[in-house]
Structure formats: C-alpha cells, structure tokens
Amino acid sequence: MKITLSVLKADIGSIGGHTLPSRRVLTKVEEVVREEVGRLLLDAHVFHIGDDIVLLFSHIHGIRNAAIHELAWKAFREGTQVAKEEGLYGAGQDLLKDAFSGNLHGLGPQVAEMEFEERPAEPFMVLAADKTEPGAFNLPLYLVFADPMYSSGLLLSSELRPGFRFRIMDLAQTERDSYIVLDAPERLYDIAALLRDSHRFGIESIWSRRYGEIAAVVSTTRLRNIAGRYVGKDDPVAIIRTQKIFPATEEFGPPFALAPFVAGDTRGSHHLPLMPVKANTPASTFFCVPMVCGLAFSLKEGRFSEPVDLFADPVWDTVRAKVVEKAQEMRRQGFYGPAMLPMEELEYTGIAERLKELEREFS
C-alpha cells in the first residue's frame, strides 16, 4: 500500500506580535484535523514553530489531493476565526486568497508532500522553519546527501554510494515552475553553483539514484510571488526519509549545527544564522532570529509513533549559544552590507518605494 505524507504550514495569528499561536487557536485547528483521523486521514500530528502552525498528515490519497488540501484550508480558516476573536496579530496572514480552489499551492500555506511504499521500518523526519526563505535548507541537505565530510554513509554504505539526484527549483520564476535535475557526485560543482544562492534557488526534492526512491521533499512557495508585496517570510517545511538506503538520522545533526546565515528574521529583510530549536518554541524576540525544528517519527501502516524532538538533547544547548553569538555579531552591523538582504530581495518592501522617490532628486 502506498502511503502519502503531507505537511502543510501557515501563520494564522500570534500573541503580542510575531511570537506563537494561542492555545485556543491551536486547539481549534487540532479539533478540525482530529475529526478526520480514521476517515480521510490515517493519522495526524499538529505542532508549531514560532508563529506558524504545522499539520502533518498520513493518508492514501496521493499528493495534491483536493480533499486533503481542503481539510488543511478548513483547519487554518477556522483557526483564523478564533485568532480574529482573540485579536491576535496577523490573523490569517498566510491565507492569501479568499476561497479554496482545489489545491493549497498558490493560496499561501507551505506544502511538502511525498508518496511511497512503506518499508518494514519507515523512519522519517519533519523539518519546519520560521522567519526564513525556501532555500534555508540548501546547505544542510547538500552536506547530508552529497558531502562525505559530513555524511559518512556516502563512504561506508553501498546503498548510498551511487549518490542522490537533486531536483532544484528556480524560485525567481513567477510565470511557471522551472526545475533542473542534477546527479551527485558527477554534477556536484553545478549543484553547489546553484544552491549557494539560497535567494534564487532551492531544493525541491532529492531521490536515491540506486533505488529511484524519494528521499526528501521541500516546500518552495514564495509568498511575495502570490501577493505581489512583502507579506512575511516563506518559512519552509521538509519531509525526509532516513536510514538504510538514506542517510542516518544522526547524520543530519552536524550540518544543522553549522547554523548557516540565511535570509529572514525581522521584516524578512536581513541575514541571521538558522538556529535549531525545540518544536513548539516561540519566535525569538532577538530580531526574530530564523529557527528550525525537527521531529522524527516511525511509521507503521500509515500511523505515527510518538515523535522525538531532534534538537532537544543537551548538545543543542551549546550549539544555540554559539548561534546567539553569531546573530549578535551580525546585528551589530545594523543595516550595513551583508547584514541586510540585497536589493533584489527588498524590492517588495517599503525601501523600494523610498528609493524610487529619491531617484527624482538625483541630478
């Protein structure tokens, strides 16, 4: 039996600014989802990262299924209504359209989905980021799936040695989706040439070359391309299968401990390091430093085990302390140089309007 995993995420309102959704909002969203477990869904799990609510579904209906996407839309809409009743900030912020049109793609929420034949033991992880861009996972996933310095399985496992196939999306294309497919290790330099620019290019999916099995999928929605203006950062999600024919769960740790500088944070207009945090962590009041959480599950007949929080063990306290130092040092530069995003990333913000006004004063 083929199983589909769907992860759908949206910011529909938070307490006191960009912090976290209220307990009532989370409860309402979970109530809507739970009604369908055992009917439309095999299982579900709801959590949050910063002010974003994340829905994890398992089902047998395939990707881009209208009923699955409509359930998520309903949950987010009803949660938005509660957020409005409570006067939460940004109620319904990521719901950029008024009506459901059969698919959440293009409506605002982030979506990552994969379909596969369940293995006898099927471990997987869900990554969810807040206050950052779709390309924020580029470096960690590149290191895990293509670099033996970080992923020893590429040297030690005959299952992994043939390498992985990267499907990379050009995020600047607004008229249509534009992809390129490159194989590692043969096209490693070409993959690096694209993924180094996390504003322009993002990993859409990764596949095992030996078995043709999907290994990872990442959401690639850019909210500004839908709204035509800055309405918040894109805040990607990812689903990643692990172990045996894929990298081991623990091989993902060191790449995320690097905490690479990514776009996002306050007003979505700066560079700060990507901090690994526990699930259900509020957004940081230190300039909304970008953050990522990870939950690992085992899957059996489409049903989830209890989750393991991947960034909760004591090692990550030390990592977070170093990330704070990186973030504080970058913020000392204020608006100058690499502390702020390049102009092509700011074209949907107020500074673009200000610069147009200033152009008239040049002579």
Side-chain angles (χ1 to χ4, degrees), residues 38-310:
R39 298 192 295 188
L40 181 65
L41 305 176
L42 295 174
D43 208 347
H45 186 79
V46 179
F47 63 101
H48 76 88
I49 172 69
D51 51 11
D52 294 345
I53 297 177
V54 187
L55 312 180
L56 167 63
F57 297 160
S58 65
H59 55 93
I60 58 172
H61 307 295
I63 65 173
R64 293 177 175 259
N65 179 267
I68 295 296
H69 285 216
E70 187 172 20
L71 172 61
W73 181 259
K74 178 183 178 183
F76 290 141
R77 293 285 288 189
E78 294 195 17
T80 294
Q81 186 57 44
V82 174
K84 290 179 178 178
E85 293 170 1
E86 294 187 307
L88 300 190
Y89 179 76
Q93 174 179 296
D94 284 355
L95 307 184
L96 302 181
K97 305 293 182 180
D98 293 328
F100 181 70
S101 57
N103 194 304
L104 278 188
H105 291 278
L107 300 186
Q110 293 293 321
V111 180
E113 298 180 289
M114 63 165 62
E115 184 181 39
F116 53 84
E117 292 281 352
E118 188 182 289
R119 296 174 288 171
E122 187 63 68
F124 73 95
M125 67 174 69
V126 174
L127 299 175
D130 188 29
K131 304 297 178 287
T132 189
E133 61 189 346
F137 296 153
N138 282 3
L139 180 61
L141 295 188
Y142 169 86
L143 295 176
V144 171
F145 285 97
D147 190 342
M149 286 286 286
Y150 282 82
S151 189
S152 59
L154 295 169
L155 295 179
L156 302 175
S157 171
S158 60
E159 308 277 16
L160 274 60
R161 193 171 297 120
F164 290 88
R165 179 162 292 136
F166 286 71
R167 193 170 188 238
I168 298 170
M169 185 175 183
D170 183 347
L171 302 171
Q173 292 285 348
T174 58
E175 298 299 322
R176 55 183 172 79
D177 289 346
S178 180
Y179 300 93
I180 187 171
V181 177
L182 299 171
D183 287 344
E186 294 89 341
R187 304 291 299 276
L188 202 60
Y189 294 171
D190 293 331
I191 294 170
L194 297 178
L195 297 186
R196 59 154 294 280
D197 186 349
S198 59
H199 309 322
R200 173 75 184 271
F201 300 102
I203 295 170
E204 187 269 344
S205 58
I206 301 173
W207 300 74
S208 165
R209 292 176 62 190
R210 180 166 185 171
Y211 294 98
E213 291 270 355
I214 190 166
V217 63
V218 183
S219 64
T220 53
T221 297
R222 298 218 74 175
L223 297 180
R224 73 183 196 190
N225 291 347
I226 301 171
R229 67 187 190 282
Y230 177 74
V231 290
K233 290 311 286 183
D234 310 298
D235 305 338
V237 291
I239 308 169
I240 304 170
R241 300 168 74 191
T242 61
Q243 305 295 148
K244 292 293 184 181
I245 66 173
F246 307 117
T249 303
E250 62 270 20
E251 288 174 320
F252 288 81
F256 278 98
L258 286 174
F261 285 103
V262 296
D265 52 84
T266 293
R267 303 188 187 279
S269 301
H270 306 81
H271 284 118
L272 280 181
L274 183 63
M275 177 183 285
V277 300
K278 299 175 185 177
N280 301 313
T281 295
S284 173
T285 53
F286 184 78
F287 222 68
C288 283
V289 62
M291 54 179 56
V292 58
C293 72
L295 293 180
F297 298 82
S298 287
L299 187 70
K300 189 63 176 178
E301 297 177 351
R303 289 169 177 81
F304 306 135
S305 66
E306 67 271 21
V308 172
D309 196 320
L310 297 175

Side-chain angles (χ1 to χ4, degrees), residues 3-45:
I3 298 295
T4 306
L5 297 179
S6 300
V7 175
L8 313 105
K9 177 160 80 72
D11 176 356
I12 57 172
S14 54
I15 300 169
H18 294 291
T19 58
L20 80 169
S22 71
R23 173 46 51 189
R24 277 190 62 207
V25 169
L26 280 166
T27 298
K28 171 53 70 175
V29 169
E30 191 154 13
E31 284 175 358
V32 174
V33 168
R34 284 290 159 196
E35 287 179 358
E36 292 298 329
V37 174
R39 298 192 295 188
L40 181 65
L41 305 176
L42 295 174
D43 208 347
H45 186 79

